Amino acid sequence: MFQKGLKNVIAAETAISLVDGEQGRLIYRGYAAKELALNFSFEEIAYLIWYGYLPGDHEKQRISELLKNNRALPSHVSECIQLLPCNMEMMSQIRTAISALGTEEFGWKPTVEQAIRLTAAIPTITAMIYRKINGEEMIEPNMEFGHVENYLYMLTGKRPSPSHTKALEAYMILTMEHGMNASTFAARVVASTESDMVSAVTGAIGAMKGPLHGGAPTGVIDMLNGITKKEEAETWIRQKLEKKEYLMGFGHRVYRTRDPRAEALSEITKRIGADDPWLELASYVETLAVQLLDEYKPGRRLNTNVEFYAAAVMRAINMAPSLFTPTFTVSRMVGWTAHTIEQSMDNTIFRPEAKYVGKQPTENEGSLKA
């Protein structure tokens, strides 16, 4: 059987998440991701993804302390980051710094302890690289802050507002895990060779860096900045569609309904920005765009995807566009590490075949001569 890109080919069994495109559902370990994002913390859902059940009070405190205690970077990793050139793309610097963490403690088989170490370290790595690129001093982690609050603090040097922390936390929970996507598949392929967890997530970061997978939702911001006000929205969108140009933030390879992650982020943006004209414009444009897409492309079922409201959230909390994909990476570390562990529990090396389409030798070629 030949399936280009392995589309629709089932290559593994997983109990971590279900991506139901037809019904528009994203399930983490038996729970709707939307409800988890609205009602729980990053630490609690990371625990759920790794262990398979929601933590009690004692377990919640323990996972929080472990993530805090693993935030600091070894000196050789900090030195490595300082030596990387500023004209090296940010995701490439993150990939290199994560790779530098790969000491002998990350041997086969992968463990939850290893997953915690990587998940705790990547916000510190990302913040350090971001501030270095911008000519600013590194900010040490604050042990009083939770995982997401501390990440925002290390980026800016200021304690973020509770509403901004909650908005980013919801986004990071919703992007924590998403089935057998390209970067997760890359991680599981590497893990299937019985390589270490650091190598697996380094491969995943390489896949996430590609614009077809982890591309930042800057196109949505450009669209909304181009429209500027409600009265201009219909004309702007119709012009795009009549030129057969792609409308950023709509349509998804898997979901045939509204992306459930977009639903949760829509609720979050309403909570944090009831009086924000930009968020009000985003909501209006979403409704209008879905109507016009149905008019211009009937039957395509092009609904809002997570990229649309990710842009709204990132803009609302004043996050630089250069941090969009790195922040996606910070959250997805949980899913990658969980899949690496799951792969090791019933491992078979990935070894698909390739269909040869090259030339065949002919009978009259005779022997080859030098």
Side-chain angles (χ1 to χ4, degrees), residues 229-267:
K229 54 186 178 181
K230 293 179 181 179
E231 292 77 13
E232 299 174 357
E234 184 169 352
T235 300
W236 194 96
I237 294 170
R238 285 190 184 277
Q239 287 177 348
K240 283 282 185 181
L241 294 176
E242 285 168 6
K243 292 178 183 178
K244 301 188 184 303
E245 294 182 11
Y246 184 65
L247 209 58
M248 300 299 292
F250 298 88
H252 193 275
R253 180 177 177 179
V254 176
Y255 294 113
R256 296 295 175 261
T257 64
R258 193 185 193 203
D259 188 329
R261 299 168 297 174
E263 287 191 14
L265 289 177
S266 174
E267 289 191 27

Short mmCIF file of all heavy atoms in Angstrom, two decimals, residues 229-267:
data_model
loop_
_atom_site.label_atom_id
_atom_site.label_comp_id
_atom_site.label_asym_id
_atom_site.label_seq_id
_atom_site.Cartn_x
_atom_site.Cartn_y
_atom_site.Cartn_z
N LYS A 229 -10.96 48.14 11.02
CA LYS A 229 -12.26 48.41 11.64
C LYS A 229 -13.35 47.58 10.96
O LYS A 229 -13.20 47.14 9.82
CB LYS A 229 -12.61 49.88 11.59
CG LYS A 229 -12.55 50.52 10.21
CD LYS A 229 -12.76 52.02 10.31
CE LYS A 229 -12.66 52.70 8.95
NZ LYS A 229 -12.84 54.17 9.04
N LYS A 230 -14.45 47.37 11.67
CA LYS A 230 -15.52 46.50 11.22
C LYS A 230 -16.05 46.87 9.84
O LYS A 230 -16.34 46.01 9.02
CB LYS A 230 -16.68 46.51 12.23
CG LYS A 230 -16.38 45.89 13.57
CD LYS A 230 -17.60 45.99 14.48
CE LYS A 230 -17.32 45.40 15.85
NZ LYS A 230 -18.49 45.53 16.75
N GLU A 231 -16.18 48.16 9.60
CA GLU A 231 -16.78 48.63 8.34
C GLU A 231 -15.96 48.21 7.13
O GLU A 231 -16.50 48.15 6.01
CB GLU A 231 -16.92 50.16 8.37
CG GLU A 231 -17.93 50.68 9.37
CD GLU A 231 -17.44 50.66 10.81
OE1 GLU A 231 -16.22 50.47 11.02
OE2 GLU A 231 -18.27 50.83 11.73
N GLU A 232 -14.69 47.93 7.31
CA GLU A 232 -13.82 47.55 6.20
C GLU A 232 -13.71 46.04 6.00
O GLU A 232 -13.15 45.57 5.01
CB GLU A 232 -12.42 48.13 6.42
CG GLU A 232 -12.37 49.65 6.50
CD GLU A 232 -10.99 50.15 6.86
OE1 GLU A 232 -10.10 49.30 7.10
OE2 GLU A 232 -10.80 51.38 6.90
N ALA A 233 -14.24 45.28 6.96
CA ALA A 233 -13.98 43.84 6.98
C ALA A 233 -14.53 43.12 5.76
O ALA A 233 -13.81 42.33 5.12
CB ALA A 233 -14.57 43.23 8.25
N GLU A 234 -15.78 43.34 5.40
CA GLU A 234 -16.38 42.58 4.29
C GLU A 234 -15.67 42.85 2.98
O GLU A 234 -15.36 41.92 2.22
CB GLU A 234 -17.86 42.90 4.17
CG GLU A 234 -18.54 42.06 3.08
CD GLU A 234 -20.05 42.15 3.11
OE1 GLU A 234 -20.61 42.74 4.06
OE2 GLU A 234 -20.68 41.61 2.18
N THR A 235 -15.38 44.11 2.70
CA THR A 235 -14.67 44.45 1.46
C THR A 235 -13.30 43.78 1.42
O THR A 235 -12.90 43.20 0.40
CB THR A 235 -14.52 45.97 1.32
OG1 THR A 235 -15.82 46.57 1.30
CG2 THR A 235 -13.77 46.34 0.04
N TRP A 236 -12.58 43.85 2.53
CA TRP A 236 -11.22 43.29 2.60
C TRP A 236 -11.25 41.78 2.37
O TRP A 236 -10.46 41.25 1.58
CB TRP A 236 -10.62 43.62 3.96
CG TRP A 236 -9.14 43.40 4.07
CD1 TRP A 236 -8.16 44.33 3.92
CD2 TRP A 236 -8.46 42.16 4.36
NE1 TRP A 236 -6.93 43.76 4.09
CE2 TRP A 236 -7.08 42.43 4.36
CE3 TRP A 236 -8.89 40.86 4.60
CZ2 TRP A 236 -6.13 41.44 4.61
CZ3 TRP A 236 -7.94 39.88 4.85
CH2 TRP A 236 -6.58 40.16 4.86
N ILE A 237 -12.16 41.09 3.04
CA ILE A 237 -12.23 39.63 2.93
C ILE A 237 -12.67 39.21 1.53
O ILE A 237 -12.12 38.28 0.94
CB ILE A 237 -13.18 39.05 4.00
CG1 ILE A 237 -12.61 39.29 5.40
CG2 ILE A 237 -13.39 37.55 3.79
CD1 ILE A 237 -13.57 38.98 6.54
N ARG A 238 -13.69 39.90 0.98
CA ARG A 238 -14.14 39.56 -0.37
C ARG A 238 -13.03 39.74 -1.41
O ARG A 238 -12.88 38.92 -2.32
CB ARG A 238 -15.36 40.41 -0.75
CG ARG A 238 -16.65 39.98 -0.07
CD ARG A 238 -17.85 40.69 -0.66
NE ARG A 238 -19.08 40.35 0.05
CZ ARG A 238 -19.79 39.25 -0.18
NH1 ARG A 238 -19.40 38.39 -1.12
NH2 ARG A 238 -20.90 39.02 0.51
N GLN A 239 -12.25 40.77 -1.27
CA GLN A 239 -11.14 40.98 -2.20
C GLN A 239 -10.15 39.83 -2.14
O GLN A 239 -9.65 39.35 -3.19
CB GLN A 239 -10.44 42.30 -1.88
CG GLN A 239 -11.24 43.54 -2.29
CD GLN A 239 -10.55 44.83 -1.88
OE1 GLN A 239 -9.58 44.84 -1.11
NE2 GLN A 239 -11.04 45.95 -2.40
N LYS A 240 -9.86 39.37 -0.92
CA LYS A 240 -8.94 38.24 -0.77
C LYS A 240 -9.51 36.98 -1.43
O LYS A 240 -8.81 36.25 -2.15
CB LYS A 240 -8.69 37.97 0.72
CG LYS A 240 -7.74 38.93 1.38
CD LYS A 240 -6.30 38.59 1.02
CE LYS A 240 -5.33 39.48 1.77
NZ LYS A 240 -3.92 39.18 1.41
N LEU A 241 -10.78 36.70 -1.17
CA LEU A 241 -11.39 35.47 -1.68
C LEU A 241 -11.57 35.52 -3.19
O LEU A 241 -11.42 34.49 -3.87
CB LEU A 241 -12.73 35.23 -0.98
CG LEU A 241 -12.63 34.94 0.53
CD1 LEU A 241 -14.02 34.82 1.14
CD2 LEU A 241 -11.84 33.66 0.79
N GLU A 242 -11.87 36.68 -3.74
CA GLU A 242 -12.02 36.80 -5.18
C GLU A 242 -10.69 36.63 -5.91
O GLU A 242 -10.65 36.19 -7.06
CB GLU A 242 -12.67 38.13 -5.53
CG GLU A 242 -14.18 38.14 -5.21
CD GLU A 242 -14.80 39.51 -5.27
OE1 GLU A 242 -14.09 40.47 -5.66
OE2 GLU A 242 -15.99 39.63 -4.90
N LYS A 243 -9.62 36.97 -5.22
CA LYS A 243 -8.27 36.74 -5.78
C LYS A 243 -7.77 35.32 -5.52
O LYS A 243 -6.65 34.98 -5.87
CB LYS A 243 -7.29 37.74 -5.18
CG LYS A 243 -7.53 39.18 -5.58
CD LYS A 243 -6.53 40.08 -4.87
CE LYS A 243 -6.77 41.55 -5.18
NZ LYS A 243 -5.82 42.43 -4.44
N LYS A 244 -8.65 34.52 -4.84
CA LYS A 244 -8.33 33.14 -4.48
C LYS A 244 -7.11 33.06 -3.57
O LYS A 244 -6.31 32.13 -3.62
CB LYS A 244 -8.13 32.27 -5.73
CG LYS A 244 -9.35 32.23 -6.64
CD LYS A 244 -9.19 31.22 -7.74
CE LYS A 244 -10.37 31.27 -8.70
NZ LYS A 244 -11.67 31.04 -8.05
N GLU A 245 -6.95 34.07 -2.73
CA GLU A 245 -5.87 34.08 -1.75
C GLU A 245 -6.31 33.37 -0.47
O GLU A 245 -7.49 33.34 -0.13
CB GLU A 245 -5.44 35.52 -1.44
CG GLU A 245 -4.82 36.22 -2.64
CD GLU A 245 -4.36 37.63 -2.30
OE1 GLU A 245 -4.34 37.97 -1.10
OE2 GLU A 245 -4.03 38.38 -3.23
N TYR A 246 -5.35 32.82 0.23
CA TYR A 246 -5.63 32.06 1.45
C TYR A 246 -5.98 33.01 2.58
O TYR A 246 -5.34 34.05 2.76
CB TYR A 246 -4.41 31.22 1.82
CG TYR A 246 -4.62 30.33 3.02
CD1 TYR A 246 -5.54 29.29 2.98
CD2 TYR A 246 -3.88 30.52 4.19
CE1 TYR A 246 -5.74 28.46 4.08
CE2 TYR A 246 -4.06 29.69 5.29
CZ TYR A 246 -5.00 28.68 5.23
OH TYR A 246 -5.18 27.87 6.32
N LEU A 247 -7.02 32.69 3.33
CA LEU A 247 -7.45 33.48 4.48
C LEU A 247 -6.86 32.84 5.74
O LEU A 247 -7.26 31.75 6.15
CB LEU A 247 -8.97 33.50 4.54
CG LEU A 247 -9.64 34.73 5.18
CD1 LEU A 247 -9.25 36.00 4.45
CD2 LEU A 247 -11.15 34.56 5.16
N MET A 248 -5.92 33.53 6.34
CA MET A 248 -5.20 32.96 7.48
C MET A 248 -6.13 32.77 8.68
O MET A 248 -6.97 33.62 8.97
CB MET A 248 -4.04 33.88 7.88
CG MET A 248 -3.02 34.09 6.77
SD MET A 248 -2.21 32.55 6.26
CE MET A 248 -1.26 32.17 7.73
N GLY A 249 -5.97 31.62 9.37
CA GLY A 249 -6.74 31.37 10.58
C GLY A 249 -8.01 30.58 10.35
O GLY A 249 -8.79 30.38 11.29
N PHE A 250 -8.21 30.11 9.12
CA PHE A 250 -9.43 29.37 8.81
C PHE A 250 -9.08 28.10 8.04
O PHE A 250 -8.22 28.08 7.17
CB PHE A 250 -10.40 30.23 7.99
CG PHE A 250 -10.85 31.45 8.73
CD1 PHE A 250 -10.12 32.63 8.66
CD2 PHE A 250 -11.98 31.41 9.52
CE1 PHE A 250 -10.51 33.75 9.37
CE2 PHE A 250 -12.38 32.52 10.24
CZ PHE A 250 -11.64 33.69 10.17
N GLY A 251 -9.79 27.02 8.41
CA GLY A 251 -9.51 25.72 7.79
C GLY A 251 -8.44 24.97 8.55
O GLY A 251 -7.53 25.56 9.15
N HIS A 252 -8.57 23.66 8.59
CA HIS A 252 -7.62 22.80 9.30
C HIS A 252 -7.57 21.46 8.59
O HIS A 252 -8.58 20.96 8.08
CB HIS A 252 -8.04 22.62 10.76
CG HIS A 252 -6.98 22.02 11.63
ND1 HIS A 252 -6.78 20.66 11.72
CD2 HIS A 252 -6.05 22.61 12.42
CE1 HIS A 252 -5.76 20.43 12.56
NE2 HIS A 252 -5.31 21.59 12.99
N ARG A 253 -6.39 20.88 8.56
CA ARG A 253 -6.21 19.60 7.88
C ARG A 253 -7.07 18.50 8.49
O ARG A 253 -7.52 17.59 7.80
CB ARG A 253 -4.73 19.21 7.94
CG ARG A 253 -4.43 17.89 7.25
CD ARG A 253 -2.95 17.59 7.27
NE ARG A 253 -2.65 16.29 6.68
CZ ARG A 253 -1.43 15.79 6.56
NH1 ARG A 253 -0.40 16.49 6.96
NH2 ARG A 253 -1.24 14.60 6.04
N VAL A 254 -7.30 18.58 9.80
CA VAL A 254 -8.02 17.52 10.50
C VAL A 254 -9.46 17.91 10.81
O VAL A 254 -10.39 17.16 10.52
CB VAL A 254 -7.29 17.15 11.81
CG1 VAL A 254 -8.09 16.11 12.60
CG2 VAL A 254 -5.89 16.61 11.50
N TYR A 255 -9.66 19.08 11.43
CA TYR A 255 -10.98 19.45 11.92
C TYR A 255 -11.91 19.86 10.78
O TYR A 255 -11.54 20.67 9.93
CB TYR A 255 -10.89 20.58 12.95
CG TYR A 255 -10.18 20.18 14.21
CD1 TYR A 255 -8.95 20.72 14.56
CD2 TYR A 255 -10.74 19.22 15.07
CE1 TYR A 255 -8.30 20.34 15.72
CE2 TYR A 255 -10.09 18.83 16.23
CZ TYR A 255 -8.87 19.40 16.55
OH TYR A 255 -8.22 19.02 17.69
N ARG A 256 -13.13 19.31 10.78
CA ARG A 256 -14.15 19.68 9.81
C ARG A 256 -15.22 20.56 10.44
O ARG A 256 -16.20 20.91 9.79
CB ARG A 256 -14.77 18.41 9.20
CG ARG A 256 -13.77 17.56 8.42
CD ARG A 256 -13.27 18.31 7.18
NE ARG A 256 -12.24 17.58 6.47
CZ ARG A 256 -10.94 17.82 6.61
NH1 ARG A 256 -10.51 18.76 7.44
NH2 ARG A 256 -10.04 17.12 5.93
N THR A 257 -15.07 20.86 11.70
CA THR A 257 -15.92 21.81 12.41
C THR A 257 -14.99 22.89 12.97
O THR A 257 -13.79 22.89 12.69
CB THR A 257 -16.67 21.12 13.56
OG1 THR A 257 -15.72 20.67 14.52
CG2 THR A 257 -17.48 19.94 13.05
N ARG A 258 -15.53 23.77 13.77
CA ARG A 258 -14.68 24.76 14.42
C ARG A 258 -13.68 24.05 15.32
O ARG A 258 -14.04 23.15 16.07
CB ARG A 258 -15.54 25.72 15.25
CG ARG A 258 -14.82 26.97 15.72
CD ARG A 258 -15.71 27.77 16.63
NE ARG A 258 -15.18 29.11 16.86
CZ ARG A 258 -15.48 29.85 17.91
NH1 ARG A 258 -16.31 29.37 18.83
NH2 ARG A 258 -14.98 31.06 18.06
N ASP A 259 -12.44 24.43 15.21
CA ASP A 259 -11.37 23.86 16.02
C ASP A 259 -11.73 24.03 17.50
O ASP A 259 -11.97 25.15 17.96
CB ASP A 259 -10.07 24.61 15.69
CG ASP A 259 -8.83 24.00 16.32
OD1 ASP A 259 -8.94 23.43 17.41
OD2 ASP A 259 -7.75 24.13 15.73
N PRO A 260 -11.81 22.93 18.27
CA PRO A 260 -12.19 23.06 19.68
C PRO A 260 -11.24 23.93 20.48
O PRO A 260 -11.63 24.55 21.48
CB PRO A 260 -12.19 21.60 20.18
CG PRO A 260 -11.30 20.87 19.23
CD PRO A 260 -11.52 21.54 17.91
N ARG A 261 -10.00 24.01 20.05
CA ARG A 261 -9.04 24.88 20.73
C ARG A 261 -9.38 26.35 20.50
O ARG A 261 -9.22 27.19 21.38
CB ARG A 261 -7.62 24.56 20.23
CG ARG A 261 -7.20 23.12 20.52
CD ARG A 261 -5.93 22.75 19.78
NE ARG A 261 -6.12 22.80 18.34
CZ ARG A 261 -5.13 22.63 17.45
NH1 ARG A 261 -3.90 22.41 17.88
NH2 ARG A 261 -5.38 22.68 16.15
N ALA A 262 -9.89 26.65 19.29
CA ALA A 262 -10.33 28.01 19.00
C ALA A 262 -11.52 28.39 19.87
O ALA A 262 -11.65 29.54 20.31
CB ALA A 262 -10.68 28.14 17.52
N GLU A 263 -12.41 27.43 20.12
CA GLU A 263 -13.58 27.70 20.97
C GLU A 263 -13.14 28.13 22.37
O GLU A 263 -13.66 29.10 22.93
CB GLU A 263 -14.47 26.46 21.06
CG GLU A 263 -15.26 26.18 19.80
CD GLU A 263 -16.32 25.11 20.03
OE1 GLU A 263 -16.60 24.80 21.20
OE2 GLU A 263 -16.84 24.59 19.05
N ALA A 264 -12.21 27.38 22.93
CA ALA A 264 -11.75 27.70 24.29
C ALA A 264 -11.03 29.05 24.32
O ALA A 264 -11.26 29.87 25.22
CB ALA A 264 -10.83 26.60 24.80
N LEU A 265 -10.19 29.31 23.34
CA LEU A 265 -9.46 30.57 23.31
C LEU A 265 -10.40 31.75 23.05
O LEU A 265 -10.15 32.86 23.53
CB LEU A 265 -8.35 30.52 22.25
CG LEU A 265 -7.17 29.62 22.59
CD1 LEU A 265 -6.18 29.59 21.44
CD2 LEU A 265 -6.47 30.08 23.87
N SER A 266 -11.46 31.51 22.30
CA SER A 266 -12.47 32.55 22.09
C SER A 266 -13.09 32.97 23.42
O SER A 266 -13.27 34.16 23.70
CB SER A 266 -13.56 32.04 21.14
OG SER A 266 -14.61 32.98 21.02
N GLU A 267 -13.40 31.98 24.25
CA GLU A 267 -13.96 32.29 25.57
C GLU A 267 -12.96 33.06 26.42
O GLU A 267 -13.31 34.01 27.13
CB GLU A 267 -14.38 31.00 26.28
CG GLU A 267 -15.61 30.33 25.69
CD GLU A 267 -16.14 29.23 26.58
OE1 GLU A 267 -15.94 29.30 27.81
OE2 GLU A 267 -16.75 28.29 26.04
#
